[in-house]
Amino acid sequence: MSKTESRGPLYHVLRAQQFDRALLDRLCDLTTRIRKVAKVKEGADYLQSLLSNKRAILYFTQPSTRTFLSFQNACHILGIRTSEIRDPSTSSEYKGESPEDAIRTFSSYVDVIIMRSPIAGFADRTAAMLDETDRPVPVINAGSGKDQHPTQALLDIYTLYRSFKDRGGIDGKTIAMVGDLARGRTVRSLSYLMKNYRGVRLIFVAPPSRRMGDDIKGFLDKMGIPWKETEDLAGILPEVDAVYMTRLQDEYDEAGESKKIDYDKFAFRPEHLEILPETAIVMHPLPRRNELHPGVDKDPRAKYWRQERNGMWMRVAILAAIFGIEKDILDPYGRSSHV
Ligand code: CP
């Protein structure tokens, strides 16, 4: 059997479309279990023993705070040792080494590559390239240009799953995505994951020049997921179960075109809480700017700080699934009696 044939249900994490409902439910249950086990020192020590023979590299050539730190801490929770490159000018890429050769070099030293890149599809190409070598290792896409951010979408699903666990789960919910949807990789990946839930409805609220891409709309049509688009944020808030705010992605501007957009129309402010249903939630992948007023933070419907923390636990679950230690965490009668 070849190395690629012997892989489990999760190996590379490259795009949201690769996840089915069974795997999403498994990851959510595992995340909840990990949070509980890690609460006590004995459990945290046990988790730290599980992958102490593994090493990871965090190769982040685009800025990041939470994805970088949550993956780094997720590795440490499982005992995985980490190294990092955050600036190619400090690596041999400065001397002309190609990113492909740099990545092949990482695979000589580590057991998993966690990478953020400004280039759409680069993580996919990296994974395919490594699969052809004698040292294939799993590749995790931690954000690829304007294209995808699959692990953000997984933590978003976990946040929705937790928030709606007493209201029938994610099935049947209406989710509004607000902001720069054309260049927002988090909303693109989350839209793809909606194929796994029954009766979900999406509302896209965006400036005309920043509407959700036709590729995503075509995918939703193919999957039979109803969607509509509008510029009227206040108008749709009374009908939503979740409102997912996003910032202007002006780092991708080519000629300062974002300056022409009136983004105030796509900002969630304290007065919007008056018309948001009591059972609805407010999400944001963060970082935020003015599109989400800090005056919203104390409202119990504001879930973005929890969402951020969920990211670390979900990323522990992703690593645990990749390295095939789910049973060691879920089975209290397995290797350790104290978890
Ligand atoms: N949500 C997110 O990806 O944040 P960072 O860019 O800080 O990693």
Side-chain angles (χ1 to χ4, degrees), residues 154-173:
L154 293 173
L155 76 90
D156 294 340
I157 286 292
Y158 184 63
T159 303
L160 292 162
Y161 162 95
R162 274 186 81 186
S163 301
F164 300 137
K165 72 176 186 314
D166 299 325
R167 290 185 53 219
I170 300 173
D171 293 326
K173 299 296 181 288

Side-chain angles (χ1 to χ4, degrees), residues 60 62-70 86 116 142-143 149 152 155 185-186 244 247 284-287 308 315:
F60 275 54
Q62 234 189 354
S64 168
T65 299
R66 64 221 87 234
T67 311
F68 179 86
L69 287 175
S70 62
R86 302 196 69 173
R116 171 171 285 193
H149 196 347
Q152 174 75 43
L155 76 90
R185 58 193 174 195
T186 65
Y244 191 108
R247 74 176 167 83
H284 194 308
L286 304 177
E308 176 177 83
R315 286 169 174 133

Side-chain angles (χ1 to χ4, degrees), residues 30 33 43 45 60 102 123 141 145 190 217 231 233 271 279 288 291 297 320 333:
L30 184 62
R33 178 72 184 146
D45 289 346
F60 275 54
N141 177 1
L190 187 56
K217 291 171 184 170
E231 290 176 54
L233 175 58
E271 62 263 31
T279 52
R288 69 171 158 192
E291 75 284 347
D297 291 7
Y333 306 105

